[in-house]
Amino acid sequence: DDFYLYNATDGVITGSSGGEKNYKKNWEYPANFEYFNVDGGCELNQYCGFGIQRDSSRGSKQKAFQLVARKAYGTEGFFRFNPFENRSFDQYKSLNLRAAGSEGPISTRFRDAYLSSLAEGSTSLLTSAAQPVLVYLNGQMYGQYNLRERINKWFVAQHLGIEDEAIIDNIDLLCETGDWVRNGSNADYKALSRFMKRNDLNKGDNLQYVLDQMDVQSYFEYVAFMMCSGNRDLSNTRFYRVPGGKWTWVLYDLDKAMDEYDSKSAFWLYTLSIDHSLSYMTDHVPFVALMKVP
């Protein structure tokens, strides 16, 4: 309904409510989602939840969207199709329609998708698959997007082959410094970070305590990828822990990688500095603590 898009009071794209722009609200409205392949065949046509993607790009003229399959919309709760060539899944709980994001409207528009693809097969990091698409809102062209796997508890469960909903519901999924909780709890991670800050990891018991809780190989691969790609926006970190498992990192949001020639990428990860790298929005403690161990 156009009302859900453009109404001044309740539309997710425009207007204002209580002094704030509507796109800052985490509203979800009913929508009908159709997906056509390159040959014009309709692969999917079903009701779902529709909202604005919850990142800083909300303020951009071209909004990013999220699509969520729910039984409440009269479906079985999944999108039964696979739009990604490099995935073998036959269903998705939710998807993102990602615009250019921090790249801006006239940049490559596929920087994040392409760099993410380089990590597949060369690292153990989970990555979000991408498919370039053209988006129409109620028949009107709204622009080029990248359809992406949405990184949430269902994403983690699908990639790890977890089907038990009790386990899925208890996956801890954190963002940025670990203070932003997407699912579960951050209590154990914050305690681990404090431990790493206050204790010498060159002492065997201390190091083993960290290794038992943190997938250090995953973390080092994440750090190496940030450095090699020169990603100066470290704010959009995603990491998770499955019940009984270790904290593990996901590759996410490389819009500002390979954006300019600079030699600071290691520095951004090693120190807390409020500058254009947004390095103050990531937890530096693990890298600093582990780099003290030969």
Side-chain angles (χ1 to χ4, degrees):
D1 192 319
D2 278 344
F3 178 90
Y4 296 142
L5 294 173
Y6 308 115
N7 178 266
T9 303
D10 300 295
V12 294
I13 291 178
T14 187
S16 62
S17 178
E20 290 191 21
K21 293 294 184 181
N22 293 355
Y23 51 72
K24 294 182 179 180
K25 304 290 186 179
N26 295 328
W27 292 338
E28 180 181 299
Y29 287 126
N32 191 69
F33 173 38
E34 291 180 281
Y35 184 86
F36 296 88
N37 59 33
V38 293
D39 297 320
C42 183
E43 295 189 12
L44 187 79
N45 185 345
Q46 75 177 64
Y47 288 114
C48 67
F50 172 91
I52 299 293
Q53 169 71 359
R54 304 177 185 182
D55 287 313
S56 58
S57 61
R58 288 169 179 250
S60 302
K61 184 176 181 181
Q62 186 185 23
K63 311 300 183 192
F65 303 119
Q66 54 184 305
L67 303 166
V68 185
R70 300 189 193 279
K71 292 182 179 179
Y73 296 112
T75 67
E76 56 185 332
F78 289 95
F79 298 122
R80 297 282 185 183
F81 81 131
N82 179 18
F84 307 113
E85 292 183 358
N86 59 339
R87 294 289 184 263
S88 58
F89 307 130
D90 59 6
Q91 65 183 31
Y92 284 92
K93 181 70 177 176
S94 58
L95 296 163
N96 281 348
L97 282 168
R98 201 159 189 234
S102 300
E103 291 189 57
I106 58 173
S107 189
T108 62
R109 302 188 66 86
F110 61 82
R111 188 189 308 270
D112 174 60
Y114 175 69
L115 290 175
S116 293
S117 74
L118 296 182
E120 293 201 18
S122 60
T123 73
S124 62
L125 300 170
L126 295 185
T127 61
S128 172
Q131 170 63 41
V133 295
L134 294 177
V135 171
Y136 292 81
L137 282 181
N138 293 346
Q140 300 299 313
M141 169 63 79
Y142 200 71
Q144 183 275 331
Y145 280 78
N146 291 308
L147 184 67
R148 307 294 297 271
E149 291 178 294
R150 181 167 175 76
I151 299 175
N152 52 23
K153 64 180 182 180
W154 299 103
F155 167 89
V156 174
Q158 190 168 41
H159 279 261
L160 299 185
I162 301 172
E163 297 181 354
D164 188 328
E165 290 197 15
I167 296 177
I168 295 173
D169 288 341
N170 285 285
I171 292 175
D172 298 320
L173 179 60
L174 309 181
C175 307
E176 297 180 355
T177 60
D179 291 320
W180 183 11
V181 180
R182 292 289 299 272
N183 195 74
S185 169
N186 66 353
D188 287 348
Y189 177 78
K190 299 302 286 187
L192 177 62
S193 182
R194 288 193 297 270
F195 179 88
M196 297 177 76
K197 186 175 183 178
R198 297 171 181 174
N199 294 275
D200 182 2
L201 300 191
N202 283 289
K203 296 180 179 180
D205 289 345
N206 290 345
L207 180 59
Q208 191 59 51
Y209 177 76
V210 172
L211 295 177
D212 288 342
Q213 298 189 61
M214 176 179 176
D215 186 337
V216 173
Q217 178 66 22
S218 164
Y219 181 70
F220 282 164
E221 288 179 345
Y222 171 79
V223 166
F225 209 93
M226 293 300 102
M227 289 183 179
C228 291
S229 65
N231 185 21
R232 59 190 179 91
D233 180 0
L234 303 178
S235 62
N236 273 328
T237 309
R238 297 285 188 274
F239 51 105
Y240 67 89
R241 182 184 64 175
V242 174
K246 300 180 181 182
W247 292 105
T248 306
W249 272 254
V250 179
L251 196 62
Y252 177 72
D253 192 24
L254 297 165
D255 289 355
K256 288 186 176 294
M258 293 188 177
D259 188 33
E260 60 183 37
Y261 293 106
D262 205 311
S263 59
K264 292 183 179 179
S265 54
F267 172 78
W268 294 334
L269 284 149
Y270 199 72
T271 187
L272 180 65
S273 59
I274 301 178
D275 60 14
H276 74 289
S277 71
L278 295 176
S279 65
Y280 63 97
M281 295 177 70
T282 193
D283 187 5
H284 298 263
V285 170
F287 184 65
V288 173
L290 289 166
M291 285 297 97
K292 295 178 181 178
V293 181

